[in-house]
Amino acid sequence: VKHAGRNHMAFYSDELTAQARNRVLLEGRLRTALKQDKLECYYQPQIDIGSGKLIGAEVLLRWHDTELGFISPTVFIPLAESCGLIHELGLWVLQHSCQQFSRWLEQGITPFSLAVNVSAHQFSKDQLFDELTQVLADNAMPAHYLELEVTESALMIDEAKVVATMRQIKALGVRLAIDDFGTGYSSLSYLKRLPLDILKIDRRFIEHIPQANDDMQIASAIIALAHTMNFKVLAEGVETAEQLAFLRQQGCDYYQGYYFSKPLPATEFINLLQQQPNS
Ligand code: C2E
Ligand code: CA
Ligand code: CA
Ligand code: CA
């Protein structure tokens, strides 16, 4: 038994080493991909429930490695966060998507809101605000087209600092959304202190509608809460007509999800935008 235990330990530590090696390998490849512009921004439409119009797009990062294949952002974003690469990666996404957006504006597309994810880690450094003003200036991009999506976890790092940075960003005219609302651990009191515009209801509260009564109660409570605070509310991960009907009935403002469209490469997104009525 002792023997088996030791073997088990040996096996376990081999596995750890393999994991660590894997991480180092992946980190290196991610650095290279970033340097060589091998990452790609996809765009997922955001729809106004009342009018059915496309009013925005969330930028979602994609990485296709020539050898390893497609790697999910749920893998490489946490990796980038733990090795510090997230600052560079986050700036790349901002620069790249704002540049793309201003080219579209020049081409005369109907403007929409561009929602970019910002990691909590990016708030822990001082340069976020300066980088943001620089990116907007470089691309002559009007700030009111840009929206930043931030998770509650940003508040856990250094709330006072995050609040101060958010106020600066807000003063530029950039809008702020709380992402994955309802999944963090912070108290709701931050809703009064942050200059927010939008709450995004996490997909996990939407996916089991209409079967799960408790999720429906939670979703409708979040919608009411958002409106009490004068925020708009967007439901994520809407996949069915029933889910959309429920959200409409509850007065939810916007949605995104496979029901309307998956995240799309830039050209496909623009094709879709141009097929919209009055665009
Ligand atoms: P998120 O910000 O909550 O993004 C929403 C995720 O849900 C995206 O996954 C999107 O593709 C997926 N999704 C959208 N509609 C549906 C639907 O109807 N059904 C289902 N099942 N899924 C749907 P994705 O693209 O894999 O991204 C995962 C997470 O990675 C994002 O979650 C975000 O936290 C992070 N991420 C992606 N791009 C960036 C980025 O540029 N910066 C940062 N900091 N994080 C990013
Ligand atoms: Ca998001
Ligand atoms: Ca989300
Ligand atoms: Ca999420």
Side-chain angles (χ1 to χ4, degrees):
V1 177
K2 220 175 178 183
H3 222 88
R6 213 168 29 222
N7 282 341
H8 186 76
M9 281 298 288
F11 173 72
Y12 186 64
S13 87
D14 272 357
E15 202 168 64
L16 274 185
T17 324
Q19 265 178 25
R21 224 184 296 124
N22 222 325
R23 260 179 71 98
V24 173
L25 175 95
L26 209 59
E27 191 186 310
R29 297 192 74 95
L30 183 57
R31 269 180 212 284
T32 310
L34 183 59
K35 230 178 270 148
Q36 301 179 343
D37 274 358
K38 293 272 171 61
L39 301 169
E40 194 178 350
C41 292
Y42 273 45
Y43 299 83
Q44 187 178 37
Q46 298 179 325
I47 308 301
D48 180 287
I49 294 179
S51 68
K53 283 191 177 154
L54 194 163
I55 45 86
E58 177 177 5
V59 181
L60 292 156
L61 201 50
R62 294 290 177 264
W63 175 25
H64 187 271
D65 183 271
T66 40
E67 274 169 45
L68 305 172
F70 174 77
I71 298 157
S72 167
T74 60
V75 172
F76 71 79
I77 294 290
L79 178 74
E81 287 175 339
S82 68
C83 73
L85 196 60
I86 191 66
H87 301 280
E88 228 179 297
L89 201 70
L91 182 59
W92 186 91
V93 174
L94 257 181
Q95 275 168 340
H96 192 89
S97 58
C98 289
Q99 190 180 48
Q100 176 66 269
F101 188 84
S102 49
R103 270 194 237 121
W104 284 334
L105 280 183
E106 279 168 21
Q107 292 163 13
I109 55 117
T110 313
F112 53 87
S113 114
L114 185 76
V116 178
N117 289 287
V118 174
S119 161
H121 294 254
Q122 291 175 262
F123 274 93
S124 68
K125 285 224 179 154
D126 289 318
Q127 67 258 41
L128 182 62
F129 176 77
D130 293 338
E131 287 174 353
L132 198 60
T133 42
Q134 190 65 51
V135 168
L136 291 171
D138 286 349
N139 296 294
M141 173 153 169
H144 66 272
Y145 292 136
L146 185 64
E147 184 176 301
L148 299 184
E149 298 193 0
V150 190
T151 58
E152 290 173 20
S153 58
L155 303 173
M156 318 280 266
I157 296 179
D158 180 350
E159 178 163 339
K161 190 167 173 179
V162 172
V163 173
T165 308
M166 281 191 172
R167 293 210 171 116
Q168 275 187 303
I169 290 172
K170 179 76 184 183
L172 284 176
V174 173
R175 273 163 301 114
L176 291 168
I178 283 285
D179 203 358
D180 303 344
F181 184 75
T183 64
Y185 301 101
S186 42
S187 93
L188 290 177
S189 61
Y190 76 83
L191 290 177
K192 290 190 295 190
R193 293 190 295 276
L194 299 187
L196 299 175
D197 299 282
I198 294 193
L199 297 191
K200 296 190 75 177
I201 308 176
D202 193 73
R203 180 161 64 84
R204 79 189 69 176
F205 300 120
I206 306 298
E207 64 184 340
H208 301 297
I209 293 175
Q211 294 79 23
N213 200 48
D214 48 353
D215 287 343
M216 289 163 84
Q217 304 283 351
I218 291 172
S220 77
I222 294 176
I223 293 164
L225 172 67
H227 288 159
T228 303
M229 306 290 300
N230 279 321
F231 305 146
K232 298 288 190 185
V233 57
L234 180 148
E236 296 190 288
V238 175
E239 294 187 356
T240 69
E242 289 94 328
Q243 290 167 348
L244 180 57
F246 170 77
L247 292 163
R248 177 180 289 118
Q249 185 206 336
Q250 298 302 311
C252 184
D253 301 288
Y254 314 121
Y255 80 98
Q256 67 186 90
Y258 296 169
Y259 182 66
F260 188 84
S261 171
K262 291 194 172 184
L264 301 170
T267 46
E268 284 179 42
F269 172 76
I270 281 303
N271 287 341
L272 183 82
L273 179 72
Q274 281 165 345
Q275 285 161 23
Q276 301 303 300
N278 331 313
S279 78

